[in-house]
Amino acid sequence: MNTEMFDPELMDYANRDPRLPSPVDEGNADLGIDLEQRLDLYERQQVLRQFEKRAYDMFLQNLVKGTSHLSLGMEAVSAGFGAAMRQDDYTFATYRGHAHTLSRGVDLGPVMAELLGRENGLLKGKGGSMHLTSVEHGMMGSYAIIGAHLTIANGAAWSAQIRGTDQVTVCFFGDGTTNIGAFHEALNFAAIWKLPIVFVCENNLYMEYTPIDLITAVPNPAADRAAAYGLPRIIVDGNDADAVYMTALDVIAKARSGGGPSLVEAVTYREQGHSRADPGKYRPKEEVEAWKGRDPIPMYHQRLLGLGVSEGDLAAIQQDVARRVDEATEFAKAGAPPGTEHLMTDVWSDGGAAWRN
Amino acid sequence: MAELSYRDAVAYGIAQEMRRDPQLVMLGEDIAGAGGVFKTTVGLLNEFGPTRVRDTPISEQAILGAAMGAAMTGVPVIAEIMFSDFLAVCFDIVANEMAKSRYMTGGQMSVPVVVRTANGGGSRFGAQHSQSVENWCMMIPGLKVVAPSTPADVVGLLAASIRDPDPVVFFEHKSLMATKGDVPEGEVIDELGQAKIVRAGTDATIVALAYMVPRALEAAERLAEDGISAEVIDLRTLVPLDTNAILGSVAKTSRVFTVEENPRLCGWGAEIASIVAQEAFWDLDGPVVRITTPHIPLPAAEALEDLAIPSTDRIVRTVKENLD
Ligand SMILES: Cc1ncc(C[n+]2csc(CCOP(=O)(O)OP(=O)(O)O)c2C)c(N)n1
Ligand SMILES: [Mg+2]
């Protein structure tokens, strides 16, 4: 056996050299985004942050059961894309989909209630945290089998093409997802059919508990693969809502005008573990601290202050969001557990579950 | 009435539905320009054009994923998976995605997809291009499963599957492609979940599916020569399952035989045996007997493949032995 392949030091992830964030690009303060739009981006990030912090508190109180994957630290990606999308565009997300669901304008209450497994949940308690969906908002689902939803997202884009609408599909996934076959099938398929779709890789540097660079043949898991599908290499600072927003406007406009698919790699970091059960100990401390210093929300807060917005105005936004999160929490807690009648509904289009006469 | 081959009935049935619904599209490997490797989609590209009849790369997950995504956003899709054995490559989309999405989303999502696929043995193709895998699909909540045995059923059940808002896996049998039968004039539309008594009898019920139906009928013919009157039921759809047809027949004959091409374990006949045992026990004069392919990968050589798949001889022999 070739023992060189098994270097135990390599597997001691917490003591590796940290992967540090790039410095903030101060030039992004001058991207020409108007202030109203920026305040909207700020509010969106506040919603995602405060909602998920509350969701986390409720795990600790054992009100949220099962598993749950938070996007704390990654909010700028969903906020930036959410702001750039049109109301009738389609979103496809992974099990880490709370933020992408909320950024399509889905009410906070039913989402929170779904996490609590209540009847007033978005999915009547039948889907849970990993499957948030709201068809009426164009949120076409959160999918928990790695890679599958890239191919499904293609179908929504194909359908828009067939129906002659100019709807765009945006599909989010992680860095780890770039190593599964479905990713490659989907990218090739979208390219040859010139589908109106944007693939967004949220590169948070880890596939579950394993650093992405140790298990991927190229340093940038998405961007370095783009050329294989005839697509340009696009990397964006996923912690900078302005940068994400501008990139999103670009690639969405390209898709809408018939220019075909794009693959965007947004580099970011999750501030917590992979899921509820994971303390995230496999990451170098220095790395976690450095990325916390690049937290998208304080960074954006500073930028807005620099642009002349007052602390008072930002505090007012924060408080308004806090009130909405409180209301959502109350709404969720007040929900009853799903009635037994829900067990045997919604398997078939007739509403039932009968497989025989 | 027009006489059509089973193979031509596929394109005939698809064309009927594509004329009716201008939104309906189809995709798959080699289905457009080449008319399908089994020539089941010949002529469709010409009539409906390249936007509605589309060749794809060898990307089974991408094919079924695209079908699902289009269907959930208002465009019904017929997707072809060339050989049913290849369903294993994209089974995630079938079993985890299409089948579960309505339930998981609290009823928000509808996925009107028909996955057509060439199923079954008799072609000497060996174990990776011959298996009968209808039982793979039957065990997934949320999937409908159809397997016609005649050209008329191909047309009528295809229409029913396409018009059904739920995902359907539609098994076309490779060894039936060249068989012929009458298809009624005009629009043909059948119903899912309805078995057919294709031969009436009083001494034994033989339940069969797809390629096993003509064999069961032949066997019944030969049993009749020996004074045994066998009733033959063509199940046609596994989900929904027409248990009334089976239980009604058992009440009359008191004996049940299943003829299954799938390998033994968890074949569809096991479910039927269990239902009959539980709900018609007191109607029975003897045990339910399953006649199946043994629990082996299917061999290629003629001599061995013929031994593996239930033959008319084996059906006749088994029924006689058990009725004595
Ligand atoms: C096909 C499949 N394999 C494995 C898993 C288990 N799993 C869930 S999340 C995950 C990591 C995915 O990493 P990445 O794509 O980077 O997304 P992230 O969680 O970092 O957002 C794994 C391996 C799965 N859900 N599906
Ligand atoms: Mg990751």
Side-chain angles (χ1 to χ4, degrees):
Chain A
M1 188 173 19
N2 177 3
T3 49
E4 273 170 41
M5 282 175 61
F6 301 95
D7 178 353
E9 297 222 338
L10 203 64
M11 314 297 273
D12 182 8
Y13 305 146
N15 286 313
R16 297 169 79 224
D17 288 341
R19 301 296 182 266
L20 299 176
S22 348
V24 182
D25 183 351
E26 284 308 340
N28 288 350
D30 296 324
L31 289 173
I33 304 171
D34 66 41
L35 199 55
E36 199 183 332
Q37 184 60 61
R38 281 194 152 119
L39 289 171
D40 173 66
L41 284 165
Y42 182 76
E43 182 187 329
R44 285 168 181 273
Q45 293 181 87
Q46 281 292 338
V47 169
L48 309 181
R49 173 67 51 97
Q50 295 193 35
F51 178 93
E52 286 208 309
K53 280 194 145 171
R54 177 63 52 80
Y56 187 69
D57 289 345
M58 292 210 282
F59 305 147
L60 298 179
Q61 295 163 36
N62 203 25
L63 279 165
V64 174
K65 317 276 174 166
T67 186
S68 192
H69 306 74
L70 303 179
S71 299
L72 292 173
M74 301 165 59
E75 294 92 340
V77 182
S78 32
F81 270 91
M85 289 172 77
R86 210 170 66 186
Q87 214 167 4
D88 62 344
D89 288 341
Y90 296 124
T91 296
F92 287 78
T94 69
Y95 49 86
R96 198 181 301 288
H98 305 168
H100 297 301
T101 304
L102 295 175
S103 62
R104 293 309 307 279
V106 180
D107 286 346
L108 276 59
V111 177
M112 194 68 91
E114 188 63 28
L115 303 189
L116 267 63
R118 304 297 166 96
E119 191 169 63
N120 56 353
L122 192 62
L123 318 169
K124 306 180 203 163
K126 292 167 90 160
S129 159
M130 296 206 282
H131 300 298
L132 298 177
T133 302
S134 182
V135 171
E136 63 164 308
H137 294 89
M139 173 56 198
M140 302 308 287
S142 307
Y143 298 80
I145 313 283
I146 298 291
H149 73 299
L150 280 79
T151 71
I152 303 167
N154 271 342
W158 179 37
S159 144
Q161 204 178 52
I162 292 169
R163 289 179 286 114
T165 70
D166 60 353
Q167 292 162 288
V168 172
T169 297
V170 181
C171 176
F172 300 92
F173 52 93
D175 44 283
T177 303
T178 63
N179 290 323
I180 201 164
F183 168 86
H184 299 274
E185 286 194 17
L187 264 289
N188 181 60
F189 199 95
I192 55 168
W193 287 16
K194 240 178 163 199
L195 296 177
I197 187 165
V198 178
F199 294 103
V200 184
C201 174
E202 298 180 88
N203 180 3
N204 58 15
L205 313 188
Y206 288 82
M207 167 230 114
E208 224 164 27
Y209 315 141
T210 305
I212 193 66
D213 55 295
L214 290 183
I215 48 160
T216 309
V218 288
N220 282 97
D224 290 344
R225 264 85 172 247
Y229 304 104
L231 300 175
R233 178 187 162 82
I234 304 175
I235 299 178
V236 61
D237 181 347
N239 279 23
D240 186 332
D242 287 337
V244 173
Y245 175 68
M246 293 307 284
T247 302
L249 286 180
D250 256 11
V251 291
I252 289 172
K254 176 181 170 190
R256 208 178 305 289
S257 61
S262 297
L263 174 59
V264 175
E265 179 170 328
V267 182
T268 180
Y269 201 75
R270 57 173 154 75
E271 290 182 3
Q272 295 192 325
H274 166 73
S275 65
R276 175 192 179 190
D278 168 30
K281 292 222 165 105
Y282 42 84
R283 306 190 297 183
K285 275 207 181 70
E286 196 187 339
E287 180 183 291
V288 177
E289 287 315 309
W291 280 94
K292 278 193 176 148
R294 277 277 267 122
D295 185 314
I297 294 175
M299 208 169 86
Y300 208 70
H301 191 104
Q302 282 309 316
R303 181 171 296 163
L304 288 178
L305 293 179
L307 290 166
V309 182
S310 72
E311 279 285 7
D313 286 349
L314 295 180
I317 294 176
Q318 283 182 38
Q319 281 155 18
D320 182 57
V321 170
R323 179 190 50 77
R324 289 167 59 196
V325 171
D326 284 343
E327 281 170 15
T329 307
E330 290 319 308
F331 173 85
K333 283 182 171 168
T340 50
E341 72 276 14
H342 292 298
L343 184 68
M344 301 300 283
T345 60
D346 298 329
V347 175
W348 308 119
S349 54
D350 66 7
W355 52 269
R356 58 171 286 188
N357 52 16
Chain B
M1 290 276 189
E3 188 178 69
L4 283 183
S5 69
Y6 187 99
R7 176 193 322 283
D8 292 340
V10 175
Y12 185 91
I14 294 172
Q16 171 188 298
E17 293 306 297
M18 290 186 81
R19 282 178 209 128
R20 176 188 61 85
D21 181 356
Q23 286 277 56
L24 180 62
V25 295
M26 60 186 293
L27 82 172
E29 293 161 22
D30 300 326
I31 63 156
V37 294
F38 294 101
K39 300 290 169 216
T40 44
T41 54
V42 173
L44 297 174
L45 173 65
N46 274 351
E47 181 171 353
F48 301 106
T51 309
R52 296 183 66 193
V53 181
R54 251 181 133 164
D55 279 328
T56 67
I58 310 166
S59 300
E60 278 75 10
Q61 289 193 76
I63 292 168
L64 293 193
M68 173 170 171
M72 67 162 75
T73 51
V75 174
V77 184
I78 304 170
E80 177 173 311
I81 296 299
M82 193 184 287
F83 283 77
S84 62
D85 312 70
F86 309 165
L87 281 174
V89 173
C90 48
F91 211 51
D92 173 43
I93 311 287
V94 178
N96 283 319
E97 311 294 348
M98 287 184 189
K100 294 175 182 171
S101 59
R102 186 187 298 275
Y103 191 85
M104 286 199 316
T105 62
Q108 291 182 54
M109 205 79 98
S110 197
V111 184
V113 171
V114 177
V115 179
R116 297 175 36 248
T117 187
N119 192 45
S123 305
R124 311 359 182 158
F125 286 164
Q128 294 184 338
H129 286 71
S130 298
Q131 212 171 327
S132 276
V133 303
E134 58 274 8
N135 56 336
W136 292 0
C137 294
M138 187 185 186
M139 65 175 81
I140 310 292
L143 286 184
K144 291 182 175 167
V145 183
V146 180
S149 73
T150 66
D153 281 359
V154 166
V155 179
L157 292 174
L158 249 179
S161 301
I162 291 165
R163 295 181 200 196
D164 195 296
D166 295 315
V168 177
V169 185
F170 192 89
F171 289 101
E172 295 160 11
H173 204 291
K174 294 195 278 291
S175 289
L176 292 173
M177 291 294 176
T179 60
K180 295 197 162 154
D182 286 334
V183 175
E185 300 290 341
E187 191 182 70
V188 185
I189 161 112
D190 209 322
E191 209 180 323
L192 303 186
Q194 297 290 316
K196 245 189 207 161
I197 296 179
V198 287
R199 181 188 173 106
T202 52
D203 299 332
T205 299
I206 303 178
V207 187
L209 185 78
Y211 187 32
M212 297 297 99
V213 174
R215 292 191 174 184
L217 282 169
E218 257 172 55
E221 196 68 43
R222 279 172 45 192
L223 288 164
E225 289 163 17
D226 291 330
I228 296 171
S229 162
E231 176 145 301
V232 179
I233 296 181
D234 179 353
L235 274 182
R236 309 196 311 149
T237 68
L238 292 178
V239 183
L241 185 64
D242 189 356
T243 52
N244 286 346
I246 300 162
L247 296 170
S249 180
V250 180
K252 197 164 63 163
T253 64
S254 304
R255 287 307 300 265
V256 185
F257 297 83
T258 64
V259 188
E260 305 162 54
E261 190 181 336
N262 48 218
R264 177 105 192 162
L265 297 190
C266 304
W268 53 261
E271 187 58 47
I272 286 175
S274 135
I275 291 169
V276 170
Q278 198 168 334
E279 300 175 30
F281 187 72
W282 304 108
D283 288 337
L284 288 173
D285 282 344
V288 178
V289 177
R290 295 180 59 206
I291 303 166
T292 75
T293 295
H295 207 62
I296 54 171
L298 215 58
E302 241 170 325
L304 294 178
E305 192 184 33
D306 286 346
L307 205 56
I309 298 175
S311 62
T312 305
D313 279 349
R314 174 139 67 104
I315 302 167
V316 170
R317 195 169 1 104
T318 311
V319 172
K320 275 193 184 164
E321 278 167 15
N322 281 278
L323 286 189
D324 279 347

